[in-house]
Amino acid sequence: SQQGEEDPQALSIQEGENATMNCSYKTSINNLQWYRQNSGRGLVHLILIRSNEREKHSGRLRVTLDTSKKSSSLLITASRAADTASYFCATLGTDSWGKLQFGAGTQVVVTP
Amino acid sequence: GAGVSQSPRYKVTKRGQDVALRCDPISGHVSLYWYRQALGQGPEFLTYFNYEAQQDKSGLPNDRFSAERPEGSISTLTIQRTEQRDSAMYRCASSPRQGSTGELFFGEGSRLTVL
């Protein structure tokens, strides 16, 4: 079973535009993480936000967390063709220490 | 090595055969995780270790699946009497911290095809 659900499932944008994807989850969390996966390769960690944080930035990435709504969003600003990938949110539940659970992902295509 | 190494990268086997997938984590990493990923889906948790101790194996689908990490470094995921439904990408990840409190570092995966 997967904890998180990403929305939309797929997103197509042009270079320079912003890309926003959302993640909803079901149980209380310790932290929420976002990962990127290029063409079936290994997942790469992007950013981690803890349950007591509301917003975090890393370069062109901005993550928000609303624990009352059990949701998070990932914003990629000024997208590039190299941002084409699948993006996954993953949650560490407060009652499942160590068991990081992933959603089904959002597939992002950035066209030049 | 510099990253998480998995072998074999590709494994094709016949139904009923046993397979062993190996993971060599980043040196010094405490925690090691196994995930399974179907095409178009996110990774599905199988099991994880802190050092040599298996902390959670709740994601293993059935008793044909087992994992070990005897010396707290290299880990092996074994699937006995393989079935076609076992075909998937099997991913290993490691972390310098216990319990997913920080980021996971993933390997490239082992793609298993059961004929």
Side-chain angles (χ1 to χ4, degrees), chain A residues 6 21 28 30 32-33 56 64 79 89 95 98-99 107 112:
Chain A
E6 283 92 340
M21 60 210 84
S28 296
N30 178 286
L32 184 145
Q33 305 180 31
K56 209 162 180 180
T64 63
S79 62
C89 71
D95 60 350
K99 189 174 178 178
Q107 188 172 7

Side-chain angles (χ1 to χ4, degrees), chain B:
Chain B
V4 177
S5 177
Q6 292 188 245
S7 62
R9 291 291 309 280
Y10 303 92
K11 177 69 176 180
V12 180
T13 190
K14 292 183 178 179
R15 187 179 54 187
Q17 297 293 307
D18 298 350
V19 296
L21 307 177
R22 172 187 162 119
C23 174
D24 193 351
I26 294 172
S27 178
H29 276 200
V30 169
S31 296
L32 184 147
Y33 305 80
W34 283 101
Y35 285 84
R36 180 170 69 176
Q37 186 175 21
L39 198 63
Q41 296 295 312
E44 175 191 18
F45 173 85
L46 295 177
T47 185
Y48 93 97
F49 295 81
N50 283 338
Y51 300 101
E52 74 283 357
Q54 191 170 22
Q55 298 294 321
D56 186 332
K57 57 181 181 179
S58 62
L60 296 177
N62 50 59
D63 60 8
R64 296 186 295 105
F65 287 72
S66 63
E68 63 174 9
R69 193 187 184 197
E71 297 179 358
S73 179
I74 293 169
S75 176
T76 303
L77 176 69
T78 302
I79 309 172
Q80 296 179 313
R81 306 180 302 282
T82 53
E83 301 178 4
Q84 287 186 327
R85 60 177 172 161
D86 300 334
S87 296
M89 179 71 83
Y90 288 83
R91 298 199 183 272
C92 176
S94 67
S95 174
R97 301 168 65 178
Q98 295 188 37
S100 301
T101 53
E103 68 178 285
L104 301 190
F105 295 79
F106 279 83
E108 293 288 323
S110 292
R111 180 169 294 284
L112 174 66
T113 302
V114 182
L115 302 177

Side-chain angles (χ1 to χ4, degrees), chain A residues 21 24 28 32 39-40 49 51 61 70-71 77 85 90-91 103:
Chain A
M21 60 210 84
S24 60
S28 296
L32 184 145
S39 300
I49 187 164
S51 60
L61 305 179
K70 291 187 169 58
S71 68
T77 60
T91 54

